[in-house]
Amino acid sequence: MRAGKMAPAGGLARRRWVLLAVLALLARAALTLTERYPALSLLQQERHRQRHGPAGEWAEQYSAECDSSFLHFHESDCDIGGSSSCESMLSLNTEKILSQAKLLAEQKRFPFATDNDNTNEELAIAYVLIGNGLYDEAIRHFSTMLQEEPDLVSAIYGRGIAYGKKGLHDMKNAELALFELSRVISLEPDHPEVFEQRAEILSPLGRISEALSDLTKAIQLQPSARLYRHRGTLYFISEDYATAHEDFQHSLELNKNQPIAMLYKGLTFFHRGLLKEAIESFKEALKQKADFIDAYKSLGQAYRELGNFDAATESFQKALLLNQNHVQTLQLKGMMLYHHGSLDEALKNFKRCLQLEPYNEVCQYMKGLSHVAMGQFYEGIKAQTKVMLNDPLPGQKASPEYLKVKYLREYSRYLHAHLDTPLTEYNTDTDLPGNFKDHWAKNLPFLIENYEEQPGLQPHIKDVLFQNFESYKPDVQELICVADRLGSMMQYETPGFLPNKRIHRAMGLATLEVMQAVQRTWANSKVRMNGKTRLMQWRDMFDIAVKWRRIADPDQPVLWLDQMPARSLSRGFNNHINLIRGQVINMRYLEYFEKILHFIKDRILVYHGANNPKGLLEVREALEKVHKVEDLLPIMKFNSKTRDGFTVNTKVPSLKDQGKEYDGFTITITGDKVGNILFSVETQTTEERTQLYHAEIDALYKDLTAKGKILILSAELGEVDAVCNLILSLVYYFYNLMPLSRGSSVIAYSVIMGALMASGKEVSGKIPKGKASIKIPSTLLVDFEAMTAPGSEAFSKIARSWMNLKSISPSYKSLPSVSETFPTLRTMIEVLNTDSSHCLKKTIVVV
């Protein structure tokens, strides 16, 4: 370390005199300002937060760990709570600064102190100025010293820190800060705190790789819990969750009492789909810090992803008990309540969020969505318009809410205009413009040429009013309660699927309406659909479920893909599901990874048997050692054409034309050198593929209708079984076709339940948690069962194994007609809004 030279007496006195004059002016200005603006005293709280590095979460919750900071000396003067001992930076006087500087110099409690007492006292004055937010004065003071001694390391370092503290929003400050810190590193390359400070400048500028390099160098020089935590935070921001986890673990091994490191460790689990491990980490963070709001918030979100509504609610509530104004918790709780179907409660949270943060786009969007879903279109569109007015700045990426809000507004106007039009007299798929539907389903920016907006709200069409459950007739009350029970049986018992009571009711009513419509069809009755009276077709059966799924959540575009513009169909419309992206695991499908892995292994062997017979034995031996999807990539590198990844296609055998196969879904696996992979499945809905599946479904539906008519006349066991198998086979092809932009799974299952009830059989078993094996995952997803089954018979067999079909109760015949009871959007929204919590007793009786 370079020692400072003896400061000339004249230069020292001159600098001290200039400093005294500056401070006197500042003191007089401070007195005037604090008298006129008492709120300025609050600046001390922000000053204290800034003392420990950049804005964000680094170290601000760990004042005891600020050992690398040049500001550590000031901790004795101001506590975190901002007590009366903390004076405003504008009320400091010369005597106090000189007194602090003298003490600091005597104890050498600042970076790169020299062996010269006079020099140290001069340096200490500048560091005290930094510590009190007087950055320009500190820079001038350091600069004066450097004129006399250009290589005075402490002054170079301090000036770099002062530039950084002035604000990185000004690139000039950032460049000067980096220049000065780089000079220090060239003069003193073995000091980890300098690399750390430079990393803290680089990271807010988006230069993450350089910041990581500096932190790695600092760790090599002197490992510490703080450095590992800082580097882990940057890896976390870079979505390298596995490496971030390692750093947080190292940090905790060096200092186990770090609630924020434990929180981030939990978040690395959360983002990789390891929810149970994440929950344990969040709980451990709360043991270390009982009032840790972010840990409660994260715990609530983890429980929400698990589908545990009660536990999530409890965690969010504990966070709000600690701070009822915590905006992020209000936002997350509100979103959970919306997706649980508790729209009225969700609205309360979004409104409170906006009181605290009026420009919060997520809360504003969700507020508008909640109003529209409940039929309150005027308030809903008002909130949507506020989101639309919040245009992103040039170069700024638009938020997801901004991208979606114009579609929601147009769809809201359409719904409002059709509130009182009979549902049988119009068709949403043909009414909405093709390019609008295409862009909406693909979540593209709202850039549609020659688009004509939907008409504005018509004053004569009033909003939907709340309907009390007791205002419905007893038979309709019974209808609602039965629908709730049926809908709850469609709930997936797997992480990632939160129970939604609104969806349950909607799809329960859809099930009953499908049952009634199919029974009428088998009795040779016609139906009224899309303004025409005719015999029901298979699409009409699914359309019943589609209309209920649409209105239950207007945020999601539930649209028939074959009704998209011809150009979109010719290119292929992909239904895409990421199973693993980078290191992020889609927890919903985790249980199917092993089943898909074994399928891929089989296909690889078939491929090499045909194209690489000499290397087949080598490939087979290598595959026997593969236990994870990502381990497949090196195997496929036996073929030079698949160096970056490969795809595997499934095939769906035809019942109509024996020996013929249709394209199922495509499995894609790609990877990079650092271990990030893309593991995805998708179905490509082209016009040709759609026609092939339609022909298959048409044939099955024709056979089903014929056998259904026979069944009405003769309820023999053999006929019932044949009808059940036809229903399951028909839906098997629907699942593999994936003909809707959203909601195909629950729509198909409600049709299964409704059609089976029409045949006299009721599904009495819930979708189960099965016994884990290669063939049967520990949790079942009906759509994935159909997509991974070798054929319709196999799907029918496994579906019937959990459905526990029993004879339908005669009481269903006395239920009122769903289509006649709820003939318009208004009546549909009313019944979805109404509270029926007291249905529990009735449900028990029915069961």
Side-chain angles (χ1 to χ4, degrees):
M1 182 182 295
R2 295 174 184 265
K5 299 178 182 178
M6 178 69 72
L12 176 63
R14 184 169 56 256
R15 288 199 301 272
R16 185 71 53 83
W17 183 87
V18 171
L19 175 66
L20 290 173
V22 169
L23 291 175
L25 288 171
L26 284 170
R28 284 197 295 272
L31 180 60
T32 303
L33 285 169
T34 50
E35 285 175 352
R36 291 178 60 189
Y37 304 106
L40 286 171
S41 62
L42 296 175
L43 289 173
Q44 67 82 21
Q45 296 176 30
E46 176 65 13
R47 186 189 76 219
H48 180 87
R49 189 185 65 78
Q50 291 176 344
R51 284 182 185 142
H52 292 78
E57 298 192 49
W58 279 21
E60 66 184 51
Q61 301 188 34
Y62 293 94
S63 58
E65 277 198 62
C66 297
D67 49 6
S68 76
S69 174
F70 59 87
L71 300 171
H72 180 65
F73 67 88
H74 206 70
E75 291 305 307
S76 61
D77 294 325
C78 185
D79 64 23
I80 286 179
S83 68
S84 58
S85 65
C86 301
E87 296 182 18
S88 167
M89 67 180 182
L90 295 175
S91 63
L92 292 168
N93 54 43
T94 305
E95 183 180 346
K96 184 173 179 62
I97 284 187
L98 294 178
S99 173
Q100 289 178 350
K102 183 176 182 181
L103 179 63
L104 192 67
E106 289 174 353
Q107 298 179 357
K108 294 187 177 182
R109 292 178 59 200
F110 59 88
F112 302 104
T114 71
D115 296 328
N116 186 294
D117 292 341
N118 287 337
T119 300
N120 285 343
E121 190 170 343
E122 289 293 299
L123 289 167
I125 288 172
Y127 278 113
V128 170
L129 290 171
I130 292 177
N132 289 285
L134 302 172
Y135 307 127
D136 287 326
E137 288 72 18
I139 289 169
R140 282 193 286 269
H141 199 74
F142 283 130
S143 298
T144 302
M145 297 185 72
L146 287 167
Q147 286 177 359
E148 298 177 5
E149 191 173 351
D151 290 341
L152 184 58
V153 175
S154 186
I156 299 171
Y157 181 79
R159 189 164 66 176
I161 296 302
Y163 279 126
K165 290 290 182 180
K166 279 187 70 176
L168 301 182
H169 56 277
D170 186 338
M171 282 303 299
K172 184 179 179 181
N173 290 334
E175 290 169 0
L176 289 169
L178 291 172
F179 175 76
E180 300 289 26
L181 292 173
S182 298
R183 283 184 65 197
V184 174
I185 288 171
S186 66
L187 295 169
E188 298 286 349
D190 297 327
H191 288 263
E193 65 270 23
V194 189
F195 288 97
E196 183 182 11
Q197 289 289 353
R198 191 167 69 175
E200 292 188 0
I201 302 294
L202 289 166
S203 56
L205 300 177
R207 296 164 66 174
I208 302 297
S209 60
E210 295 173 75
L212 284 169
S213 177
D214 274 357
L215 288 171
T216 299
K217 180 63 176 177
I219 288 171
Q220 291 170 351
L221 290 169
Q222 187 177 339
S224 71
R226 184 192 63 257
L227 286 171
Y228 276 118
R229 189 180 71 245
H230 288 184
R231 191 175 69 174
T233 303
L234 288 187
Y235 278 124
F236 182 87
I237 292 169
S238 304
E239 296 187 4
D240 187 351
Y241 301 118
T243 308
H245 175 266
E246 292 176 6
D247 272 357
F248 292 129
Q249 188 60 39
H250 286 314
S251 181
L252 289 163
E253 287 169 1
L254 293 171
N255 179 3
K256 64 180 181 180
N257 188 29
Q258 296 185 86
I260 198 167
M262 187 61 72
L263 170 68
Y264 270 101
K265 177 184 173 182
L267 290 172
T268 65
F269 285 130
F270 179 89
H271 285 283
R272 288 181 290 162
L274 306 172
L275 293 177
K276 293 180 180 178
E277 292 84 350
I279 286 170
E280 289 306 311
S281 294
F282 297 147
K283 287 181 176 178
E284 186 60 35
L286 286 165
K287 287 180 183 178
Q288 296 182 11
K289 183 176 171 59
D291 61 347
F292 197 178
I293 294 176
D294 282 337
Y296 276 122
K297 177 198 70 179
S298 300
L299 184 61
Q301 191 66 356
Y303 277 128
R304 179 247 186 275
E305 290 299 326
L306 271 178
N308 191 334
F309 176 77
D310 292 336
T313 300
E314 181 182 355
S315 297
F316 286 140
Q317 198 56 38
K318 286 180 178 178
L320 292 171
L321 284 173
L322 291 168
N323 179 3
Q324 63 179 350
N325 297 332
H326 196 255
V327 171
Q328 270 195 320
T329 301
L330 288 166
Q331 177 181 310
L332 290 172
K333 184 184 177 187
M335 292 180 72
M336 181 190 70
L337 287 165
Y338 177 87
H339 291 292
H340 182 252
S342 305
L343 273 55
D344 199 41
E345 289 299 311
L347 260 177
K348 294 176 184 177
N349 284 269
F350 297 135
K351 287 178 179 178
R352 179 61 182 155
C353 166
L354 290 167
Q355 286 176 349
L356 299 166
E357 207 172 86
Y359 297 102
N360 186 305
E361 279 194 24
V362 175
C363 288
Q364 194 69 260
Y365 180 88
M366 293 303 299
K367 177 189 173 189
L369 174 60
S370 300
H371 277 303
V372 166
M374 295 172 70
Q376 300 163 2
F377 290 92
Y378 289 90
E379 284 298 320
I381 290 181
K382 187 189 299 182
Q384 294 163 19
T385 303
K386 289 181 180 179
V387 178
M388 290 174 61
L389 293 174
N390 195 18
D391 293 319
L393 298 172
Q396 183 183 13
K397 186 178 179 180
S399 69
E401 290 72 31
Y402 183 82
L403 288 175
K404 293 192 299 180
V405 71
K406 292 184 181 179
Y407 297 105
L408 179 61
R409 187 189 68 168
E410 290 301 288
Y411 186 48
S412 300
R413 288 173 166 178
Y414 175 83
L415 292 176
H416 181 262
H418 291 80
L419 267 180
D420 300 307
T421 305
L423 292 158
T424 56
E425 302 306 311
Y426 64 94
N427 185 324
T428 301
D429 281 281
T430 55
D431 287 349
L432 293 176
N435 285 334
F436 173 87
K437 294 187 298 178
D438 183 57
H439 281 61
W440 188 21
K442 294 176 180 176
N443 197 29
L444 298 174
F446 197 98
L447 301 172
I448 305 172
E449 290 184 8
N450 303 318
Y451 177 75
E452 186 176 342
E453 289 189 354
Q454 294 287 330
L457 300 187
Q458 303 300 309
H460 69 278
I461 303 176
K462 304 301 180 185
D463 275 350
V464 176
L465 300 177
F466 180 76
Q467 189 89 348
N468 286 316
F469 182 75
E470 292 78 9
S471 66
Y472 288 107
K473 294 179 180 179
D475 59 343
V476 178
Q477 292 182 21
E478 183 67 19
L479 179 71
I480 295 169
C481 292
V482 171
D484 285 354
R485 178 179 64 82
L486 292 173
S488 68
M489 297 176 69
M490 303 179 200
Q491 179 64 41
Y492 282 153
E493 299 293 333
T494 188
F497 292 93
L498 183 75
N500 187 322
K501 59 186 183 182
R502 193 176 182 89
I503 297 290
H504 289 172
R505 178 172 298 171
M507 303 322 294
L509 288 166
T511 297
L512 292 169
E513 188 173 349
V514 167
M515 175 194 74
Q516 294 167 348
V518 172
Q519 285 175 336
R520 290 196 302 271
T521 299
W522 290 349
N524 288 317
S525 295
K526 295 182 178 181
V527 294
R528 182 76 177 171
M529 301 290 289
N530 305 326
K532 296 178 181 179
T533 302
R534 52 178 168 75
L535 291 174
M536 187 169 76
Q537 302 300 312
W538 68 263
R539 189 194 288 264
D540 301 326
M541 183 170 60
F542 284 93
D543 257 332
I544 292 169
V546 166
K547 74 174 181 182
W548 282 103
R549 178 62 182 82
R550 274 179 183 154
I551 201 60
D553 185 2
D555 190 40
Q556 298 187 358
V558 183
L559 302 164
W560 289 96
L561 297 182
D562 65 342
Q563 299 296 308
M564 294 291 182
R567 185 176 62 176
S568 179
L569 282 177
S570 64
R571 295 176 179 175
F573 193 102
N574 292 352
N575 265 314
H576 186 94
I577 301 172
N578 284 327
L579 304 180
I580 303 177
R581 180 179 176 273
Q583 297 173 12
V584 182
I585 297 173
N586 189 333
M587 60 202 76
R588 291 186 169 190
Y589 304 98
L590 189 60
E591 296 289 348
Y592 280 83
F593 284 15
E594 187 176 3
K595 187 173 184 178
I596 295 174
L597 175 62
H598 280 267
F599 171 80
I600 294 172
K601 285 183 178 181
D602 291 341
R603 299 300 298 177
I604 289 175
L605 290 173
V606 170
Y607 172 84
H608 280 279
N611 298 281
N612 181 30
K614 293 182 179 180
L616 182 60
L617 179 61
E618 183 182 0
V619 172
R620 189 186 300 277
E621 290 175 350
L623 285 174
E624 289 176 357
K625 301 175 183 177
V626 170
H627 303 290
K628 295 185 297 183
V629 171
E630 48 266 43
D631 295 337
L632 287 170
L633 285 169
I635 306 300
M636 290 306 290
K637 288 182 182 178
F638 285 116
N639 182 345
S640 61
K641 295 180 180 179
T642 59
R643 282 177 291 183
D644 297 324
F646 62 96
T647 62
V648 176
N649 298 310
T650 66
K651 295 295 181 180
V652 177
S654 169
L655 284 177
K656 183 171 69 73
D657 300 314
Q658 293 297 318
K660 189 175 181 179
E661 291 182 324
Y662 308 131
D663 288 334
F665 64 92
T666 301
I667 303 167
T668 301
I669 303 177
T670 60
D672 59 25
K673 294 180 180 179
V674 297
N676 292 316
I677 73 166
L678 175 65
F679 174 34
S680 65
V681 298
E682 67 180 22
T683 55
Q684 191 172 41
T685 306
T686 60
E687 188 173 3
E688 180 183 2
R689 181 176 180 271
T690 299
Q691 288 175 354
L692 290 171
Y693 274 89
H694 280 192
E696 193 78 27
I697 296 173
D698 284 339
L700 284 166
Y701 183 76
K702 182 179 180 181
D703 199 6
L704 173 63
T705 303
K707 283 188 166 55
K709 290 179 178 181
I710 296 172
L711 184 63
I712 292 291
L713 302 174
S714 172
E716 293 184 10
L717 182 61
E719 295 292 347
V720 173
D721 281 345
V723 167
C724 290
N725 286 331
L726 283 170
I727 292 168
L728 291 169
S729 295
L730 187 152
V731 175
Y732 164 79
Y733 288 101
F734 182 92
Y735 275 127
N736 278 281
L737 174 59
M738 283 290 169
L740 297 166
S741 58
R742 299 284 194 283
S744 291
S745 181
V746 71
I747 285 166
Y749 200 69
S750 65
V751 168
I752 289 176
M753 291 180 65
L756 286 172
M757 289 169 72
S759 73
K761 291 294 182 180
E762 180 180 1
V763 175
S764 64
K766 283 193 171 185
I767 301 170
K769 290 185 177 180
K771 293 181 180 179
S773 69
I774 293 172
K775 293 184 178 179
I776 304 177
S778 62
T779 53
L780 295 175
L781 306 178
V782 184
D783 51 350
F784 255 58
E785 286 299 320
M787 292 165 68
T788 56
S792 60
E793 290 184 11
F795 171 68
S796 296
K797 184 177 179 180
I798 191 170
R800 294 184 71 157
S801 70
W802 81 69
M803 286 181 171
N804 190 23
L805 297 179
K806 67 177 185 180
S807 296
I808 193 170
S809 169
S811 62
Y812 284 105
K813 293 183 179 179
S814 63
L815 292 175
S817 165
V818 176
S819 61
E820 293 175 7
T821 306
F822 310 111
T824 63
L825 281 176
R826 182 183 297 278
T827 53
M828 290 175 70
I829 295 171
E830 285 173 349
V831 74
L832 294 182
N833 287 346
T834 191
D835 176 42
S836 59
S837 54
H838 54 286
C839 271
L840 181 60
K841 294 180 180 179
K842 293 186 177 185
T843 303
I844 293 172
V845 172
V846 172
V847 174

